[in-house]
Structure formats: C-alpha cells, structure tokens
Amino acid sequence: MSVKPVLLVIAHGSRDPRHAATVHALVRRVRRLRPDVRVETGFLDFNIPSVQGVLESLAAEGVRDVVALPLLLTRAFHAKADIPAVLRDAPRSLRIRQAEVLGPSPLLVSALERRLYEAGLTPADKSSTGVVLASAGSTDPEAIAVIAEIAREWRHTGWCAVRPAFASASLPRTEDAVRELRALGCSRIAVSPYVLAPGFLPDRIARGAAEADVLADVLGPAPEVARVLLERYEAARTPVLTAIGA
C-alpha cells in the first residue's frame, strides 16, 4: 500500500498567541477527520516550528512526499512568493507539492454563515441584514478581486446586501462599509470576518464593527474550513501536478 504524502499546513504566524492556538485547533480537527494522513504544522514567522525546521525533520526521518498547504484565503504575496521560496530551500530528498490556497470555496461561505448564526442571526434574518465581508486586505489586485466576487455571489443567497471591506492596504474599511449598509436601509448590520485566526488585523476589523449590530467570530477551526483544507490536499497529491524539488 502506498504511503500518503505528509500534509504540511503552512501558517503565517503572529506575535498574538491566539493565532497559533487557533491554527493548532484547526489542525487537530483535520487530524480527527483524516487519521490516515500525517499532518504537521509550520509557521513562516513569529512561531515555532518553522516551515524549514519541519521540512528538515521530515527529511531526516526519511519522509519522501509532502503536500505543503498554505493556510491562506487568497493567492497573494505569501502564496506566490514567500512560501515557494521556503519550499525551494527544502532538503532535496523531499518531493513537495504546493497545494492551492483555501479560498474561494462554497465551504468557506458556509463557514461564514455558521459564524453569523453562532453570533445570533437566523436564516430568517437574511433579507433584512446587510453583511460586511471583512478581510485582512492585500496590495495584490487578484486577492482584492476575489473578495469582491465572494461578496457579490454571497449577496445572491438572500442577504439584504453584502459589501467587502479591508483591514489594511485596500478600501473601504469595515466602519465605512457598515455605514454604507446602514445608509442603504438594511435594518441590521453584521460584520463577518473573512480571516482564519485572531490577531492584529482581525482586532482592527472588530474595532471597525463598533457600529454594527452583530460581529461574527473568525473562521478558525470551523468544520467547513477543515473540509476545504482536505480537499486542497487531495487535489495536490494527485500525480498530475508538478512537484517542487523533485
């Protein structure tokens, strides 16, 4: 029987201890879903173990195949530059495939709705509720366009309106989107953070939601996030993709 590639979840890392705790909670859920797959976690910055350290340990154990999965919601700088650079420096004995980022995915939209309902909304509230889809922000136009498209598509599922907002690098800010939705006449405003873990920018989103009626939690270890992560793993471990370092 062939050995499945090790799944290496690559997180950004943060000085905020809530970030690593949330990443580890998500990875634990993934392990419960797929006990047949070895799952490791590495961080690009601030936290340990580092991605390079994990790769070196795997190589020392004799592991051959790794799927490196960026724990990111959009294809921006980290997915396009930082992570490939780290993987290129991996031990040459490893065959590494870089999986796609998590978003966009209908499962992530389901996770967003889960968090809104956990915050107190019900499906009956949708038609009277405007939603701010609040992401961290990026200087990458592709990433910004993806967030805007998610907001457009999500609006068609019955919400009063959905507007994208960004905590950095792009406009509008969360507070501006809240005011816009209020001016549109939505009777209730909810802020839905499109972020995976707590930290500096999610805290900025929360401050921008001060005039909203509902603030949902970050996506974190939602079951849908774990499922999409495994979808990306399965897609990447197929032999049609080119391996990095092969």
Side-chain angles (χ1 to χ4, degrees), residues 37-110:
V37 175
R38 179 177 175 180
V39 187
E40 300 291 342
T41 308
F43 295 89
L44 289 173
D45 207 352
F46 302 116
N47 303 104
I48 55 174
S50 68
V51 176
Q52 188 67 26
V54 174
L55 292 171
E56 289 172 358
S57 295
L58 291 173
E61 288 181 33
V63 169
R64 291 284 292 165
D65 293 300
V66 176
V67 169
L69 193 148
L71 198 61
L72 300 167
L73 295 173
T74 58
R75 267 183 50 78
F77 181 78
H78 294 302
K80 294 178 179 178
D82 282 356
I83 291 174
V86 172
L87 298 181
R88 281 194 294 271
D89 288 338
R92 304 303 293 176
S93 62
L94 294 173
R95 291 190 295 258
I96 305 176
R97 300 179 182 95
Q98 182 176 329
E100 290 295 330
V101 297
L102 301 183
S105 167
L107 284 170
L108 294 178
V109 175
S110 296

Side-chain angles (χ1 to χ4, degrees), residues 54-227:
V54 174
L55 292 171
E56 289 172 358
S57 295
L58 291 173
E61 288 181 33
V63 169
R64 291 284 292 165
D65 293 300
V66 176
V67 169
L69 193 148
L71 198 61
L72 300 167
L73 295 173
T74 58
R75 267 183 50 78
F77 181 78
H78 294 302
K80 294 178 179 178
D82 282 356
I83 291 174
V86 172
L87 298 181
R88 281 194 294 271
D89 288 338
R92 304 303 293 176
S93 62
L94 294 173
R95 291 190 295 258
I96 305 176
R97 300 179 182 95
Q98 182 176 329
E100 290 295 330
V101 297
L102 301 183
S105 167
L107 284 170
L108 294 178
V109 175
S110 296
L112 290 168
E113 296 212 351
R114 171 189 292 274
R115 294 301 189 224
L116 286 170
Y117 297 149
E118 290 171 350
L121 293 178
T122 70
D125 297 322
K126 292 182 78 167
S127 62
S128 59
T129 302
V131 178
V132 177
L133 179 66
S135 78
S138 173
T139 56
D140 189 309
E142 178 187 348
I144 297 305
V146 166
I147 300 300
E149 180 61 22
I150 293 169
R152 281 192 294 270
E153 292 296 321
W154 200 15
R155 161 68 182 84
H156 296 318
T157 66
W159 297 100
C160 174
V162 181
R163 293 289 186 274
F166 307 94
S168 68
S170 308
L171 295 173
R173 295 286 182 258
T174 301
E175 53 269 33
D176 297 325
V178 168
R179 293 175 189 131
E180 179 189 351
L181 289 172
R182 193 77 73 189
L184 279 175
C186 298
S187 61
R188 186 185 298 101
I189 311 299
V191 173
S192 182
Y194 190 60
V195 292
L196 286 166
F200 176 74
L201 293 177
D203 283 349
R204 182 180 287 178
I205 290 171
R207 290 193 298 272
E211 296 179 19
D213 303 294
V214 174
L215 171 62
D217 200 358
V218 299
L219 295 172
E224 296 86 356
V225 178
R227 285 170 57 200

